[in-house]
Amino acid sequence: MTLLPRHWDWLARQPGGASVALRKLVEHARRESGDKDRVRIARETAYRFMSAMAGDLRNLEEASRALFAGDATRFYPLVAAWPEDIRDHTIKLAADGLSHPASFASGASAGLPERRITLR
């Protein structure tokens, strides 16, 4: 870690010294960015899985765009026709990265019989 002299001076003046101040700063940053990190990690994880397992399936590109936009309304119908195991795992991985991940209904818009999957 590289800090400027003024940073080291400030850290040295903090109660408990540099170690305590740095731990507090890191914990504060973790709390502040927790939700953003959770969403980013979910999207990246789901995308890696989708690329590996659904790379040649219909609507992959559009589903990826919907995933990174956080648009569950577009995402769910795009993956509805995928093989059940790939679709279900993709939805599970993507849940924290979507705007309202509570449930999925493929319905007639995907050309399938009504099917509801509740994510846990």
Side-chain angles (χ1 to χ4, degrees):
M1 175 169 65
T2 304
L3 296 175
L4 298 173
R6 69 176 182 265
H7 299 142
W8 286 112
D9 292 341
W10 181 84
L11 285 169
R13 291 190 308 269
Q14 300 309 302
S19 292
V20 171
L22 287 171
R23 280 194 300 273
K24 287 180 180 179
L25 288 170
V26 168
E27 285 303 318
H28 176 73
R30 281 187 55 216
R31 281 191 302 274
E32 291 295 313
S33 67
D35 287 340
K36 289 180 194 174
D37 289 345
R38 181 180 46 76
V39 167
R40 178 184 50 78
I41 290 167
R43 289 176 181 171
E44 290 172 357
T45 302
Y47 178 73
R48 281 192 303 273
F49 178 79
M50 290 166 58
S51 296
M53 299 303 294
D56 60 348
L57 295 178
R58 186 171 164 224
N59 297 325
L60 173 68
E61 191 172 324
E62 284 301 313
S64 298
R65 286 188 186 111
L67 171 67
F68 282 103
D71 188 347
T73 304
R74 279 186 25 231
F75 179 78
Y76 292 139
L78 290 167
V79 301
W82 292 2
E84 188 174 338
D85 54 346
I86 294 173
R87 179 198 61 221
D88 293 352
H89 193 64
T90 299
I91 289 170
K92 180 179 176 183
L93 293 174
D96 284 342
L98 296 170
S99 56
H100 55 284
S103 67
F104 161 61
S106 59
S109 65
L112 299 172
E114 181 71 21
R115 178 184 185 97
R116 183 164 296 281
I117 298 169
T118 302
L119 303 175
R120 297 173 201 161

